[in-house]
Amino acid sequence: MNVNNSECINKYKTFAYNKKHVFISGSISTGKTMLCNLLFEYLDYYTPAAYIKEYIDYNTDGEFKLKLLHDGLISNFEFQNYILDCYETQLNSSIYEDADIVIWDRHPIESLEVFCATNNSISNEQRLKLRLRIEQLSRRYQIPQLTNKNVGVINVDTSRISTEVIEEALVNTFIHPLLLGLSNGSIYVFLFCSDTNTQFKRLTKRNRTPEIESYKSKEDLYILNNQYALFYTELVQQKLNQIN
């Protein structure tokens, strides 16, 4: 298949933004949404901020779409495009345009590199289409790639440190310097939970039917946890290669 990248890219207007991004990432039930909410609540008091939510917290059809995927009624390609639709709707707004700092529940690239990485649920052609769409979104809305030199990366074990403590640490070490103009760049925060018993209890407590049906025991979390660990490890290795 021949794909003209320039034609795909030029279809979209590119906006000139100078935003700082905080990407909160990690496997299921690691505390991402709670941390995003705390950070956004803090930032929104001091500066124009935007919170780009995950599909299931943004769109009322999110849980239904997830069930359709798990029941085999829509393809993974359709589902990942739906996720990107939810991101794009939030990005194409005055709130995002006016924001100085943007809080993200996951980076868009995870749709491809994590949730399409270990299975054959999408074809090579579909994989290319997803990659091109993510690249278009990134160009249009100036979303930094995680491999950019001005994007820092850290990891936090949420089974050992509370979400409130993590939020306070991020505010003191990253947010305050940004607000004071003492630092520049963005950050990718990888949350993981080394205690899968705790992780599984969090999942069952929030009681989302499609998740309960897919993750019937803590062992069912291992595949996604391992895929995220691999994604983060490879990202860190790329960062180290930039230094060497």
Side-chain angles (χ1 to χ4, degrees):
M1 182 187 70
N2 293 322
V3 178
N4 189 325
N5 288 0
S6 61
E7 288 183 4
C8 293
I9 294 166
N10 291 334
K11 285 172 59 180
Y12 296 90
K13 179 181 177 182
T14 299
F15 296 93
Y17 297 121
N18 184 26
K19 305 182 185 304
K20 309 301 180 290
H21 299 260
V22 181
F23 300 100
I24 307 299
S25 180
S27 186
I28 190 171
S29 297
T30 53
K32 298 183 301 297
T33 301
M34 184 176 178
L35 180 57
C36 286
N37 284 326
L38 288 173
L39 288 171
F40 177 70
E41 182 179 349
Y42 178 87
L43 280 168
D44 196 43
Y45 184 80
Y46 292 102
T47 190
Y51 174 15
I52 307 301
K53 298 181 179 181
E54 190 180 24
Y55 73 95
I56 205 162
D57 296 313
Y58 169 71
N59 188 277
T60 54
D61 289 335
E63 191 168 334
F64 175 67
K65 290 283 189 179
L66 183 60
K67 181 170 176 54
L68 290 179
L69 174 69
H70 288 170
D71 291 345
L73 298 177
I74 61 173
S75 68
N76 194 26
F77 178 68
E78 292 173 302
F79 184 68
Q80 299 307 326
N81 268 298
Y82 161 71
I83 290 175
L84 295 177
D85 286 342
C86 291
Y87 280 137
E88 187 163 15
T89 302
Q90 296 174 82
L91 293 168
N92 190 26
S93 68
S94 59
I95 294 175
Y96 179 79
E97 185 174 355
D98 295 339
D100 294 326
I101 301 178
V102 184
I103 306 297
W104 289 78
D105 195 328
R106 293 193 167 121
H107 189 287
I109 195 61
E110 295 170 45
S111 179
L112 178 64
E113 299 294 348
V114 175
F115 293 96
C116 296
T118 60
N119 57 54
N120 297 317
S121 61
I122 65 172
S123 66
N124 289 335
E125 181 178 349
Q126 290 171 337
R127 191 178 300 276
L128 178 58
K129 287 180 178 179
L130 281 178
R131 185 173 297 281
L132 287 174
R133 184 174 182 194
I134 293 168
E135 289 176 356
Q136 290 162 5
L137 280 178
S138 298
R139 285 188 177 92
R140 185 181 186 191
Y141 297 104
Q142 298 296 292
I143 306 165
Q145 296 183 34
L146 298 180
T147 52
N148 288 1
K149 290 185 178 180
N150 66 341
V151 178
V153 296
I154 62 171
N155 69 83
V156 184
D157 184 353
T158 62
S159 70
R160 299 176 180 274
I161 305 175
S162 71
T163 307
E164 291 80 6
V165 171
I166 298 170
E167 184 252 356
E168 184 178 357
L170 284 172
V171 166
N172 290 333
T173 61
F174 182 75
I175 301 297
H176 277 170
L178 278 184
L179 294 175
L180 294 172
L182 300 176
S183 67
N184 198 6
S186 299
I187 191 168
Y188 177 81
V189 183
F190 172 61
L191 303 182
F192 68 99
C193 185
S194 61
D195 183 350
T196 50
N197 287 315
T198 298
Q199 186 181 7
F200 186 68
K201 287 178 183 177
R202 292 172 182 168
L203 185 146
T204 54
K205 183 177 180 180
R206 69 186 185 192
N207 198 32
R208 288 174 178 164
T209 301
E211 294 176 349
I212 296 296
E213 292 176 350
S214 297
Y215 303 98
K216 295 182 172 61
S217 69
K218 69 175 185 178
E219 287 76 19
D220 293 328
L221 295 166
Y222 292 166
I223 293 177
L224 183 58
N225 288 354
N226 290 339
Q227 187 55 48
Y228 256 110
L230 179 62
F231 175 75
Y232 180 75
T233 301
E234 290 178 347
L235 174 60
V236 171
Q237 186 59 56
Q238 291 179 68
K239 293 288 190 180
L240 292 174
N241 291 341
Q242 292 174 358
I243 299 173
N244 298 331

mmCIF file of all heavy atoms in Angstrom, residues 19-24 104 107 142-154 174 184-189 232 235-236 238-240 242-243:
data_model
loop_
_atom_site.group_PDB
_atom_site.id
_atom_site.type_symbol
_atom_site.label_atom_id
_atom_site.label_comp_id
_atom_site.label_asym_id
_atom_site.label_seq_id
_atom_site.Cartn_x
_atom_site.Cartn_y
_atom_site.Cartn_z
ATOM 1 N N LYS A 19 2.994 24.820 24.945
ATOM 2 C CA LYS A 19 2.418 24.269 26.162
ATOM 3 C C LYS A 19 3.387 23.309 26.835
ATOM 4 O O LYS A 19 4.259 22.739 26.188
ATOM 5 C CB LYS A 19 1.117 23.528 25.835
ATOM 6 C CG LYS A 19 0.096 24.380 25.099
ATOM 7 C CD LYS A 19 -1.175 23.598 24.848
ATOM 8 C CE LYS A 19 -2.140 24.417 24.000
ATOM 9 N NZ LYS A 19 -2.445 25.734 24.590
ATOM 10 N N LYS A 20 3.171 23.129 28.119
ATOM 11 C CA LYS A 20 3.892 22.114 28.867
ATOM 12 C C LYS A 20 2.912 20.980 29.161
ATOM 13 O O LYS A 20 1.756 21.223 29.497
ATOM 14 C CB LYS A 20 4.452 22.696 30.166
ATOM 15 C CG LYS A 20 5.254 23.983 29.964
ATOM 16 C CD LYS A 20 6.432 23.781 29.031
ATOM 17 C CE LYS A 20 7.225 25.065 28.831
ATOM 18 N NZ LYS A 20 6.505 26.081 28.031
ATOM 19 N N HIS A 21 3.396 19.761 29.033
ATOM 20 C CA HIS A 21 2.515 18.603 29.155
ATOM 21 C C HIS A 21 2.960 17.707 30.307
ATOM 22 O O HIS A 21 4.158 17.483 30.508
ATOM 23 C CB HIS A 21 2.520 17.796 27.856
ATOM 24 C CG HIS A 21 2.021 18.568 26.672
ATOM 25 N ND1 HIS A 21 0.738 18.445 26.179
ATOM 26 C CD2 HIS A 21 2.642 19.490 25.883
ATOM 27 C CE1 HIS A 21 0.585 19.241 25.136
ATOM 28 N NE2 HIS A 21 1.726 19.885 24.936
ATOM 29 N N VAL A 22 1.970 17.193 31.028
ATOM 30 C CA VAL A 22 2.215 16.219 32.090
ATOM 31 C C VAL A 22 1.434 14.965 31.723
ATOM 32 O O VAL A 22 0.206 14.936 31.802
ATOM 33 C CB VAL A 22 1.764 16.747 33.465
ATOM 34 C CG1 VAL A 22 2.054 15.709 34.550
ATOM 35 C CG2 VAL A 22 2.440 18.072 33.789
ATOM 36 N N PHE A 23 2.145 13.939 31.284
ATOM 37 C CA PHE A 23 1.516 12.683 30.878
ATOM 38 C C PHE A 23 1.536 11.711 32.058
ATOM 39 O O PHE A 23 2.605 11.351 32.550
ATOM 40 C CB PHE A 23 2.262 12.065 29.693
ATOM 41 C CG PHE A 23 2.306 12.940 28.476
ATOM 42 C CD1 PHE A 23 3.443 13.683 28.179
ATOM 43 C CD2 PHE A 23 1.217 13.032 27.626
ATOM 44 C CE1 PHE A 23 3.496 14.494 27.060
ATOM 45 C CE2 PHE A 23 1.253 13.845 26.497
ATOM 46 C CZ PHE A 23 2.400 14.577 26.213
ATOM 47 N N ILE A 24 0.356 11.307 32.507
ATOM 48 C CA ILE A 24 0.237 10.340 33.593
ATOM 49 C C ILE A 24 -0.153 9.001 32.974
ATOM 50 O O ILE A 24 -1.206 8.878 32.355
ATOM 51 C CB ILE A 24 -0.811 10.776 34.631
ATOM 52 C CG1 ILE A 24 -0.525 12.200 35.124
ATOM 53 C CG2 ILE A 24 -0.843 9.789 35.786
ATOM 54 C CD1 ILE A 24 0.812 12.370 35.812
ATOM 55 N N TRP A 104 -2.516 14.922 31.005
ATOM 56 C CA TRP A 104 -2.995 13.838 30.146
ATOM 57 C C TRP A 104 -3.179 12.551 30.946
ATOM 58 O O TRP A 104 -2.298 12.174 31.714
ATOM 59 C CB TRP A 104 -1.980 13.531 29.049
ATOM 60 C CG TRP A 104 -1.842 14.554 27.972
ATOM 61 C CD1 TRP A 104 -1.160 15.733 28.036
ATOM 62 C CD2 TRP A 104 -2.363 14.468 26.642
ATOM 63 N NE1 TRP A 104 -1.228 16.382 26.831
ATOM 64 C CE2 TRP A 104 -1.955 15.630 25.958
ATOM 65 C CE3 TRP A 104 -3.123 13.512 25.961
ATOM 66 C CZ2 TRP A 104 -2.291 15.867 24.624
ATOM 67 C CZ3 TRP A 104 -3.455 13.747 24.640
ATOM 68 C CH2 TRP A 104 -3.046 14.919 23.985
ATOM 69 N N HIS A 107 -0.597 9.005 27.155
ATOM 70 C CA HIS A 107 -0.161 9.635 25.907
ATOM 71 C C HIS A 107 -0.831 8.900 24.742
ATOM 72 O O HIS A 107 -0.964 7.674 24.784
ATOM 73 C CB HIS A 107 1.363 9.539 25.792
ATOM 74 C CG HIS A 107 1.949 10.339 24.674
ATOM 75 N ND1 HIS A 107 1.814 9.965 23.351
ATOM 76 C CD2 HIS A 107 2.675 11.491 24.669
ATOM 77 C CE1 HIS A 107 2.434 10.850 22.578
ATOM 78 N NE2 HIS A 107 2.955 11.790 23.358
ATOM 79 N N GLN A 142 0.695 20.003 18.519
ATOM 80 C CA GLN A 142 2.017 20.154 19.130
ATOM 81 C C GLN A 142 2.159 19.306 20.394
ATOM 82 O O GLN A 142 2.614 19.777 21.445
ATOM 83 C CB GLN A 142 2.290 21.626 19.443
ATOM 84 C CG GLN A 142 2.303 22.534 18.218
ATOM 85 C CD GLN A 142 3.435 22.206 17.258
ATOM 86 O OE1 GLN A 142 4.593 22.407 17.587
ATOM 87 N NE2 GLN A 142 3.103 21.696 16.083
ATOM 88 N N ILE A 143 1.767 18.045 20.283
ATOM 89 C CA ILE A 143 1.923 17.096 21.387
ATOM 90 C C ILE A 143 3.331 16.518 21.302
ATOM 91 O O ILE A 143 3.694 15.923 20.285
ATOM 92 C CB ILE A 143 0.890 15.958 21.291
ATOM 93 C CG1 ILE A 143 -0.527 16.523 21.202
ATOM 94 C CG2 ILE A 143 1.022 15.007 22.476
ATOM 95 C CD1 ILE A 143 -1.558 15.500 20.751
ATOM 96 N N PRO A 144 4.147 16.679 22.321
ATOM 97 C CA PRO A 144 5.529 16.194 22.224
ATOM 98 C C PRO A 144 5.608 14.670 22.204
ATOM 99 O O PRO A 144 4.832 13.982 22.867
ATOM 100 C CB PRO A 144 6.188 16.756 23.485
ATOM 101 C CG PRO A 144 5.065 16.955 24.448
ATOM 102 C CD PRO A 144 3.868 17.323 23.617
ATOM 103 N N GLN A 145 6.541 14.163 21.425
ATOM 104 C CA GLN A 145 6.842 12.737 21.487
ATOM 105 C C GLN A 145 7.578 12.448 22.789
ATOM 106 O O GLN A 145 8.353 13.270 23.276
ATOM 107 C CB GLN A 145 7.709 12.327 20.299
ATOM 108 C CG GLN A 145 7.041 12.484 18.954
ATOM 109 C CD GLN A 145 7.926 12.002 17.822
ATOM 110 O OE1 GLN A 145 8.692 11.055 17.975
ATOM 111 N NE2 GLN A 145 7.816 12.664 16.679
ATOM 112 N N LEU A 146 7.337 11.278 23.331
ATOM 113 C CA LEU A 146 7.966 10.938 24.606
ATOM 114 C C LEU A 146 9.477 10.835 24.485
ATOM 115 O O LEU A 146 10.195 10.978 25.484
ATOM 116 C CB LEU A 146 7.386 9.622 25.136
ATOM 117 C CG LEU A 146 5.882 9.650 25.446
ATOM 118 C CD1 LEU A 146 5.424 8.291 25.952
ATOM 119 C CD2 LEU A 146 5.553 10.741 26.454
ATOM 120 N N THR A 147 9.966 10.587 23.282
ATOM 121 C CA THR A 147 11.408 10.473 23.077
ATOM 122 C C THR A 147 12.096 11.828 22.924
ATOM 123 O O THR A 147 13.325 11.881 22.855
ATOM 124 C CB THR A 147 11.697 9.623 21.830
ATOM 125 O OG1 THR A 147 10.956 10.150 20.717
ATOM 126 C CG2 THR A 147 11.301 8.170 22.056
ATOM 127 N N ASN A 148 11.326 12.915 22.881
ATOM 128 C CA ASN A 148 11.937 14.240 22.787
ATOM 129 C C ASN A 148 12.849 14.495 23.984
ATOM 130 O O ASN A 148 12.548 14.078 25.109
ATOM 131 C CB ASN A 148 10.867 15.330 22.731
ATOM 132 C CG ASN A 148 10.130 15.354 21.405
ATOM 133 O OD1 ASN A 148 10.404 14.546 20.520
ATOM 134 N ND2 ASN A 148 9.188 16.271 21.266
ATOM 135 N N LYS A 149 13.922 15.217 23.743
ATOM 136 C CA LYS A 149 14.892 15.464 24.811
ATOM 137 C C LYS A 149 14.323 16.327 25.934
ATOM 138 O O LYS A 149 14.813 16.270 27.069
ATOM 139 C CB LYS A 149 16.146 16.121 24.226
ATOM 140 C CG LYS A 149 16.968 15.179 23.350
ATOM 141 C CD LYS A 149 18.254 15.827 22.889
ATOM 142 C CE LYS A 149 19.085 14.852 22.061
ATOM 143 N NZ LYS A 149 20.364 15.466 21.602
ATOM 144 N N ASN A 150 13.312 17.142 25.631
ATOM 145 C CA ASN A 150 12.753 18.015 26.670
ATOM 146 C C ASN A 150 11.573 17.374 27.405
ATOM 147 O O ASN A 150 10.825 18.054 28.095
ATOM 148 C CB ASN A 150 12.332 19.355 26.072
ATOM 149 C CG ASN A 150 11.175 19.217 25.095
ATOM 150 O OD1 ASN A 150 10.899 18.126 24.592
ATOM 151 N ND2 ASN A 150 10.503 20.323 24.822
ATOM 152 N N VAL A 151 11.406 16.059 27.246
ATOM 153 C CA VAL A 151 10.386 15.323 27.997
ATOM 154 C C VAL A 151 11.096 14.414 28.998
ATOM 155 O O VAL A 151 11.774 13.460 28.618
ATOM 156 C CB VAL A 151 9.482 14.484 27.072
ATOM 157 C CG1 VAL A 151 8.469 13.692 27.901
ATOM 158 C CG2 VAL A 151 8.761 15.376 26.065
ATOM 159 N N GLY A 152 10.944 14.728 30.278
ATOM 160 C CA GLY A 152 11.534 13.896 31.314
ATOM 161 C C GLY A 152 10.663 12.686 31.602
ATOM 162 O O GLY A 152 9.459 12.685 31.316
ATOM 163 N N VAL A 153 11.249 11.641 32.160
ATOM 164 C CA VAL A 153 10.493 10.432 32.500
ATOM 165 C C VAL A 153 10.827 10.010 33.928
ATOM 166 O O VAL A 153 11.978 10.045 34.347
ATOM 167 C CB VAL A 153 10.777 9.267 31.523
ATOM 168 C CG1 VAL A 153 10.307 9.608 30.127
ATOM 169 C CG2 VAL A 153 12.254 8.912 31.506
ATOM 170 N N ILE A 154 9.790 9.633 34.669
ATOM 171 C CA ILE A 154 9.974 9.088 36.013
ATOM 172 C C ILE A 154 8.982 7.953 36.213
ATOM 173 O O ILE A 154 7.995 7.840 35.481
ATOM 174 C CB ILE A 154 9.773 10.146 37.123
ATOM 175 C CG1 ILE A 154 8.340 10.690 37.092
ATOM 176 C CG2 ILE A 154 10.788 11.264 37.014
ATOM 177 C CD1 ILE A 154 8.008 11.566 38.286
ATOM 178 N N PHE A 174 8.280 19.761 39.909
ATOM 179 C CA PHE A 174 8.077 20.016 38.482
ATOM 180 C C PHE A 174 7.125 21.177 38.204
ATOM 181 O O PHE A 174 7.442 22.079 37.422
ATOM 182 C CB PHE A 174 7.548 18.748 37.797
ATOM 183 C CG PHE A 174 7.350 18.902 36.313
ATOM 184 C CD1 PHE A 174 8.444 18.913 35.455
ATOM 185 C CD2 PHE A 174 6.079 19.050 35.776
ATOM 186 C CE1 PHE A 174 8.272 19.069 34.080
ATOM 187 C CE2 PHE A 174 5.893 19.206 34.411
ATOM 188 C CZ PHE A 174 6.998 19.214 33.560
ATOM 189 N N ASN A 184 11.651 24.361 31.902
ATOM 190 C CA ASN A 184 10.926 24.219 30.647
ATOM 191 C C ASN A 184 10.759 22.729 30.365
ATOM 192 O O ASN A 184 11.398 21.891 30.978
ATOM 193 C CB ASN A 184 11.703 24.899 29.516
ATOM 194 C CG ASN A 184 10.826 25.172 28.309
ATOM 195 O OD1 ASN A 184 9.615 24.956 28.347
ATOM 196 N ND2 ASN A 184 11.432 25.652 27.239
ATOM 197 N N GLY A 185 9.899 22.398 29.424
ATOM 198 C CA GLY A 185 9.755 21.001 29.051
ATOM 199 C C GLY A 185 8.518 20.350 29.630
ATOM 200 O O GLY A 185 7.704 20.974 30.308
ATOM 201 N N SER A 186 8.389 19.059 29.362
ATOM 202 C CA SER A 186 7.240 18.274 29.789
ATOM 203 C C SER A 186 7.731 17.037 30.537
ATOM 204 O O SER A 186 8.935 16.797 30.631
ATOM 205 C CB SER A 186 6.399 17.869 28.568
ATOM 206 O OG SER A 186 5.917 19.018 27.888
ATOM 207 N N ILE A 187 6.786 16.251 31.057
ATOM 208 C CA ILE A 187 7.179 15.086 31.848
ATOM 209 C C ILE A 187 6.212 13.931 31.608
ATOM 210 O O ILE A 187 5.010 14.137 31.395
ATOM 211 C CB ILE A 187 7.236 15.438 33.355
ATOM 212 C CG1 ILE A 187 7.906 14.314 34.152
ATOM 213 C CG2 ILE A 187 5.853 15.756 33.899
ATOM 214 C CD1 ILE A 187 8.252 14.709 35.575
ATOM 215 N N TYR A 188 6.764 12.730 31.622
ATOM 216 C CA TYR A 188 5.989 11.492 31.503
ATOM 217 C C TYR A 188 6.140 10.727 32.811
ATOM 218 O O TYR A 188 7.248 10.344 33.193
ATOM 219 C CB TYR A 188 6.508 10.663 30.327
ATOM 220 C CG TYR A 188 5.838 9.319 30.149
ATOM 221 C CD1 TYR A 188 4.604 9.215 29.516
ATOM 222 C CD2 TYR A 188 6.452 8.149 30.591
ATOM 223 C CE1 TYR A 188 3.997 7.980 29.334
ATOM 224 C CE2 TYR A 188 5.854 6.913 30.408
ATOM 225 C CZ TYR A 188 4.625 6.838 29.778
ATOM 226 O OH TYR A 188 4.026 5.610 29.607
ATOM 227 N N VAL A 189 5.023 10.532 33.505
ATOM 228 C CA VAL A 189 5.028 9.872 34.813
ATOM 229 C C VAL A 189 4.418 8.482 34.650
ATOM 230 O O VAL A 189 3.225 8.344 34.365
ATOM 231 C CB VAL A 189 4.229 10.680 35.851
ATOM 232 C CG1 VAL A 189 4.305 10.004 37.217
ATOM 233 C CG2 VAL A 189 4.737 12.116 35.925
ATOM 234 N N TYR A 232 7.811 1.158 29.032
ATOM 235 C CA TYR A 232 8.575 2.137 29.802
ATOM 236 C C TYR A 232 10.070 1.842 29.738
ATOM 237 O O TYR A 232 10.892 2.764 29.583
ATOM 238 C CB TYR A 232 8.102 2.151 31.253
ATOM 239 C CG TYR A 232 8.857 3.143 32.107
ATOM 240 C CD1 TYR A 232 8.613 4.508 32.000
ATOM 241 C CD2 TYR A 232 9.834 2.715 33.005
ATOM 242 C CE1 TYR A 232 9.313 5.424 32.765
ATOM 243 C CE2 TYR A 232 10.539 3.625 33.774
ATOM 244 C CZ TYR A 232 10.275 4.980 33.649
ATOM 245 O OH TYR A 232 10.982 5.884 34.406
ATOM 246 N N LEU A 235 11.420 2.978 26.500
ATOM 247 C CA LEU A 235 11.471 4.442 26.462
ATOM 248 C C LEU A 235 12.699 4.956 27.201
ATOM 249 O O LEU A 235 13.426 5.832 26.705
ATOM 250 C CB LEU A 235 10.196 5.024 27.072
ATOM 251 C CG LEU A 235 10.146 6.549 27.231
ATOM 252 C CD1 LEU A 235 10.279 7.244 25.880
ATOM 253 C CD2 LEU A 235 8.854 6.969 27.933
ATOM 254 N N VAL A 236 12.950 4.413 28.380
ATOM 255 C CA VAL A 236 14.124 4.827 29.156
ATOM 256 C C VAL A 236 15.410 4.511 28.395
ATOM 257 O O VAL A 236 16.353 5.313 28.377
ATOM 258 C CB VAL A 236 14.127 4.138 30.538
ATOM 259 C CG1 VAL A 236 15.449 4.375 31.257
ATOM 260 C CG2 VAL A 236 12.964 4.649 31.384
ATOM 261 N N GLN A 238 15.804 4.398 25.180
ATOM 262 C CA GLN A 238 15.948 5.398 24.119
ATOM 263 C C GLN A 238 16.473 6.713 24.679
ATOM 264 O O GLN A 238 17.282 7.396 24.033
ATOM 265 C CB GLN A 238 14.603 5.618 23.427
ATOM 266 C CG GLN A 238 14.131 4.431 22.599
ATOM 267 C CD GLN A 238 12.790 4.688 21.942
ATOM 268 O OE1 GLN A 238 12.667 5.522 21.047
ATOM 269 N NE2 GLN A 238 11.763 3.981 22.390
ATOM 270 N N LYS A 239 16.019 7.068 25.873
ATOM 271 C CA LYS A 239 16.514 8.289 26.511
ATOM 272 C C LYS A 239 18.008 8.174 26.820
ATOM 273 O O LYS A 239 18.775 9.123 26.610
ATOM 274 C CB LYS A 239 15.736 8.549 27.810
ATOM 275 C CG LYS A 239 14.276 8.902 27.622
ATOM 276 C CD LYS A 239 14.124 10.302 27.064
ATOM 277 C CE LYS A 239 12.685 10.747 27.099
ATOM 278 N NZ LYS A 239 12.519 12.119 26.551
ATOM 279 N N LEU A 240 18.418 7.024 27.309
ATOM 280 C CA LEU A 240 19.830 6.814 27.626
ATOM 281 C C LEU A 240 20.685 6.852 26.368
ATOM 282 O O LEU A 240 21.809 7.371 26.378
ATOM 283 C CB LEU A 240 20.007 5.473 28.347
ATOM 284 C CG LEU A 240 19.422 5.386 29.759
ATOM 285 C CD1 LEU A 240 19.526 3.968 30.295
ATOM 286 C CD2 LEU A 240 20.120 6.359 30.700
ATOM 287 N N GLN A 242 20.191 8.663 23.853
ATOM 288 C CA GLN A 242 20.345 10.059 23.448
ATOM 289 C C GLN A 242 21.513 10.723 24.172
ATOM 290 O O GLN A 242 22.160 11.619 23.642
ATOM 291 C CB GLN A 242 19.056 10.842 23.739
ATOM 292 C CG GLN A 242 17.875 10.442 22.879
ATOM 293 C CD GLN A 242 16.592 11.137 23.313
ATOM 294 O OE1 GLN A 242 16.571 11.891 24.291
ATOM 295 N NE2 GLN A 242 15.512 10.885 22.597
ATOM 296 N N ILE A 243 21.763 10.253 25.395
ATOM 297 C CA ILE A 243 22.841 10.833 26.201
ATOM 298 C C ILE A 243 24.195 10.311 25.749
ATOM 299 O O ILE A 243 25.181 11.046 25.664
ATOM 300 C CB ILE A 243 22.625 10.516 27.694
ATOM 301 C CG1 ILE A 243 21.302 11.127 28.171
ATOM 302 C CG2 ILE A 243 23.787 11.037 28.537
ATOM 303 C CD1 ILE A 243 20.916 10.723 29.573
#
